[in-house]
Amino acid sequence: MHYLAEHQSFSSTQELNNAIYTHIKRNTYELNDTDRLTLKAIARYAVKFAGAAHLKAATLAGLIEKSEKTARRALAKLAELGIVKKIATARKVNG
C-alpha cells in the first residue's frame, strides 16, 4: 500500500475539486492570488490519492513561480485556515 493512501481524504477527484472551489469561495477575502494558485497547484498533485499530495517546498515554489519562502508562507496560511493539513514525514534510512 502506498503511504499517501492512508492520508487520502476524498473518494474521488470530483469531490476534491468541489472542496477546493468551496474553500476558495468561502475564503474569498482571506486568500490572495498566490494562496489560490498554491491551493490549485497542490490539488493538481493530489488526484491519484484524492486529497493527498507530497510536494517539496522547492517543487511547489516552481509550480507557482514564486520563491520557496513565499510557497511555505502560502502553505502555512492554507493550513492555518484549515484548508490543507500538513503531515510531517521522515525519509527511510538506506544502508
Side-chain angles (χ1 to χ4, degrees):
M1 181 161 112
H2 195 274
Y3 74 98
L4 283 177
E6 66 187 73
H7 301 295
Q8 183 172 338
S9 49
F10 299 98
S11 57
S12 69
T13 303
Q14 183 61 44
E15 192 178 320
L16 167 66
N17 290 336
N18 290 340
I20 296 296
Y21 289 104
T22 299
H23 281 299
I24 289 173
K25 277 177 62 176
R26 186 176 296 145
N27 296 289
T28 297
Y29 300 109
E30 289 86 6
L31 299 176
N32 62 32
D33 289 341
T34 301
D35 301 332
R36 282 187 277 281
L37 190 61
T38 301
L39 180 58
K40 289 176 183 179
I42 293 168
R44 282 195 309 271
Y45 280 78
V47 293
K48 186 172 182 181
F49 299 98
H54 183 145
L55 291 168
K56 293 180 182 178
T59 304
L60 185 56
L63 292 171
I64 63 172
E65 298 179 343
K66 304 285 182 184
S67 70
E68 274 189 53
K69 188 171 183 173
T70 298
R72 288 180 195 276
R73 194 170 31 247
L75 183 57
K77 185 174 181 182
L78 293 171
E80 182 182 309
L81 291 170
I83 297 172
V84 299
K85 180 179 177 184
K86 296 192 304 184
I87 298 170
T89 57
R91 289 184 181 196
K92 293 180 181 176
V93 178
N94 291 333

